[in-house]
Amino acid sequence: MRVAVLKGGRSLERGVSLRSGARVEDALERLGHEALPIDAGGDLVKRLSEQRPDVVFVAMHGPGGEDGTVQELLEILGLPFTGPGVAACARCIDKVLAKHELRAAGVPTPDWFAFNETAFRELGAADALGELEQRLGFPLVVKPSRGGSALGIKFAGSWFEVPEALVSAFSYDERVLLERFVEGRELAVSVLGSEPLPVVEAIPGDGDRYDFEARYEIGRTEFACPADLAEHEASAVREAALGAYEAIGCSGFSRVDLILAEDGPQVLEVNAIPGLTDTSLLPQAAEAAGMSFEQLVGRMLDLALEPAAA
Amino acid sequence: PVFCSYQAETIQIECDGDGMRIDELEAVLERLRAEGRRPKFVYSVPSFQNPAGVTMSLERRRRLVELARLHELLLVEDNPYGLLRFGGEPLPPLYQLDGGDFVIYIGTLSKILSPGIRLGWAVAPPPVMEKIVLGKQASDLCTSTLTQHFVREYFGEGRWREYIADLVELYRGRRDVMVEALREHFPAQASWTEPQGGLFIWASLPEYIDTGDLLAKALREDVAFVPGQAAFVDESRGRNSMRLNFSGVGDDEIREGVRRIGKAIAEQVDLYGALTGEQEALPEAPPRAEPAETDEGSVLPFRKKESA
């Protein structure tokens, strides 16, 4: 098969995407397919129209590649592609939208408030912040609604840290959410097709237990896969992850990030197109399930070509 | 950070308008001596330091050289910008003050001829130089002889002083443009250095602004700067500062770039004002609040000009 690999783009996650893409290309070659690497730029549509691949592997992260934009173009061109469709991507990239979907579907997700910048500038939303303490309590997490990785995510331990955290988060997006901080184990469940893969746990290094920002620094976090969970915990986590995947309308594959609190799992977000680099969580989970990276890529292509997924 | 990649343990010494705080260095040296530890060397860019753009005063230079003798400590004097002075009196390099016993002097052609030449020079006490030569040979065998010939020809022609004089004029003009643009577009709470040479201005913003996040906002406007955090080994520092480079682009682009960054900052100042201005009215404000946080004086003015 001729497989176009879309990677790069202009998002802040360009670097990760290029690594994901390169690894997928290697796997495709080993599987005997013809890989057509495309760094997504101004000539994207032209190149796809000329090359007419059998299927498109979308290895892009962040705005542009993971928010439904590229998926929309691929639908217009009538090309089958890997990963979730337009609507699911649009819901995943917007954490606020995703949380509404989760809540509506009865999937547990931490309480939150969301604000537009306009609300503070023009509508006096700061007055409503008083509700925060009663409804969410401290500490709380302040996040830009759209944006990848941990960029702009701040942790407010008290009332007086909220304005500064909001200023930071609004640097990335005009909409920001303030979310109740849920203490617990940090887990990620990748779903392939409709099957949850083994659970991955992120274990922050010593002393970082309460330092939210530090957890995202490379080298300060270790990963365990499969996570050491009791069977009832693992099944609750898988159920929540699958519930989230379905509520968002994902297809092909995605990764669901959760916290396992004392009273059960809480879904934080769904990543439409998780990283596929050699340190990424989805490939780790597949490996724990006994799948090589080639087998994983092969399965993703099969799912993209299934009539139901289109 | 460069030294850290060689797994060196580094201690950062505070800088103020007169360069490295020698009193703090003395205290650190004393503390290390008491702990029975010996630093390998003290690294410094005495003239127009990157990123702050500040220059070490003559008095401090003298004291630093004295300390080096006293502690038998090597000083590494990195002087890439020394010749790019637009104003004030040139100060003697540490090497000159010391006579060369304890100073390793490093120069480069990157800022006075072309960065692409990848050529610099070092002056060091002979035993140190032997080691430097060994290390250099181990890392790259030798510097390109072709570029060395180019450079010799260039300096042989004797026009280099003229070229540096042109550069100095150019950079002086650009510094003036940038300072003027900063006055016009940065909020009143911001401050910045007005360097007498070099390539950089160091600007500090209100403490609640994280320049790492501000950069994301600025990049959407196609303008960039170096967040201050990059200049510190301790990552909790420099968060509200930024390094601005005025050497690389023309006057109009400097004005436009500063205007865009200023607009992004003004939006944040504005937003923070809207947030904290309302904060006082909230009944839930916890009693452990620091008074300064709720003082009228700490509420930032609303930037009407920018929000229009």
Side-chain angles (χ1 to χ4, degrees), chain A residues 121 127 154 160 168 171-172, chain B residues 210 213 267-268 270 279:
Chain A
R121 288 183 189 281
D127 288 334
K154 298 263 157 133
F160 291 98
S168 283
S171 303
Y172 296 87
Chain B
D210 183 326
D213 297 321
E267 284 170 6
Q268 296 198 326
D270 183 1
Q279 196 170 292

Side-chain angles (χ1 to χ4, degrees), chain B residues 152-171:
Chain B
R152 197 185 61 167
E153 280 302 307
Y154 173 74
F155 281 89
E157 270 188 29
R159 283 169 46 208
W160 65 279
R161 284 180 195 280
E162 206 180 307
Y163 178 62
I164 288 174
D166 289 349
L167 276 184
V168 165
E169 270 319 299
L170 182 75
Y171 291 162

Side-chain angles (χ1 to χ4, degrees), chain A residues 194-274:
Chain A
S194 53
E195 290 298 314
L197 295 173
V199 182
V200 184
E201 178 171 13
I203 303 164
D206 288 342
D208 288 339
R209 192 168 168 76
Y210 298 103
D211 185 347
F212 194 87
E213 287 156 342
R215 292 183 187 184
Y216 290 87
E217 271 177 38
I218 295 159
R220 285 171 81 168
T221 305
E222 282 185 24
F223 297 101
C225 185
D228 182 15
L229 298 172
E231 185 41 47
H232 71 280
E233 289 176 325
S235 87
V237 167
R238 279 196 300 265
E239 190 191 331
L242 206 53
Y245 183 85
E246 283 163 4
I248 303 285
C250 291
S251 51
F253 59 88
S254 285
R255 193 189 79 220
V256 182
D257 293 347
L258 321 86
I259 299 282
L260 179 57
E262 277 191 359
D263 56 351
Q266 296 272 338
V267 175
L268 294 182
E269 62 174 305
V270 181
N271 295 277
I273 307 180

Side-chain angles (χ1 to χ4, degrees), chain A:
Chain A
M1 273 195 302
R2 300 171 73 242
V3 184
V5 179
L6 299 197
K7 57 181 181 177
R10 278 199 62 183
S11 92
L12 294 172
E13 290 160 274
R14 175 182 168 81
V16 180
S17 167
L18 291 176
R19 280 164 53 208
S20 290
R23 191 157 181 236
V24 169
E25 286 155 28
D26 283 350
L28 288 170
E29 301 284 349
R30 281 198 290 273
L31 288 167
H33 297 305
E34 185 187 347
L36 310 165
I38 300 180
D39 187 344
D43 58 352
L44 174 65
V45 172
K46 200 166 147 229
R47 286 183 64 179
L48 287 171
S49 309
E50 282 167 9
Q51 299 185 337
R52 296 303 307 174
D54 298 308
V55 56
V56 178
F57 198 107
V58 184
M60 294 172 70
H61 311 304
E66 201 177 345
D67 63 359
T69 308
V70 157
Q71 289 76 7
E72 192 95 55
L73 290 174
L74 295 170
E75 284 194 358
I76 293 169
L77 295 171
L79 295 171
F81 58 89
T82 57
V86 176
C89 284
R91 290 185 200 114
C92 283
I93 200 88
D94 187 329
K95 294 187 182 81
V96 174
L97 204 53
K99 284 176 75 81
H100 280 293
E101 295 290 340
L102 295 176
R103 182 139 294 179
V107 177
T109 185
D111 290 338
W112 79 97
F113 282 116
F115 293 99
N116 281 339
E117 204 168 342
T118 324
F120 287 109
R121 288 183 189 281
E122 294 168 19
L123 302 174
D127 288 334
L129 286 178
E131 294 292 315
L132 287 178
E133 187 152 32
Q134 289 165 3
R135 300 269 290 271
L136 304 179
F138 285 103
L140 55 78
V141 187
V142 183
K143 306 174 176 179
S145 185
R146 285 169 301 178
S149 314
L151 294 171
I153 296 184
K154 298 263 157 133
F155 177 83
S158 79
W159 190 222
F160 291 98
E161 289 170 15
V162 172
E164 192 174 329
L166 282 171
V167 168
S168 283
F170 276 124
S171 303
Y172 296 87
D173 192 20
E174 62 196 17
R175 189 145 65 150
V176 156
L177 68 150
L178 301 113
E179 193 179 59
R180 185 164 64 84
F181 174 73
V182 179
E183 204 186 323
R185 296 166 71 179
E186 284 191 52
L187 307 174
V189 181
S190 299
V191 181
L192 185 60
S194 53
E195 290 298 314
L197 295 173
V199 182
V200 184
E201 178 171 13
I203 303 164
D206 288 342
D208 288 339
R209 192 168 168 76
Y210 298 103
D211 185 347
F212 194 87
E213 287 156 342
R215 292 183 187 184
Y216 290 87
E217 271 177 38
I218 295 159
R220 285 171 81 168
T221 305
E222 282 185 24
F223 297 101
C225 185
D228 182 15
L229 298 172
E231 185 41 47
H232 71 280
E233 289 176 325
S235 87
V237 167
R238 279 196 300 265
E239 190 191 331
L242 206 53
Y245 183 85
E246 283 163 4
I248 303 285
C250 291
S251 51
F253 59 88
S254 285
R255 193 189 79 220
V256 182
D257 293 347
L258 321 86
I259 299 282
L260 179 57
E262 277 191 359
D263 56 351
Q266 296 272 338
V267 175
L268 294 182
E269 62 174 305
V270 181
N271 295 277
I273 307 180
L276 296 170
T277 68
D278 38 16
T279 55
S280 298
L281 304 186
L282 169 52
Q284 277 186 46
E287 201 181 312
M291 274 177 119
S292 68
F293 190 70
E294 284 76 22
Q295 286 170 325
L296 174 65
V297 167
R299 177 84 180 113
M300 288 169 163
L301 291 180
D302 290 345
L303 287 164
L305 293 167
E306 266 176 20

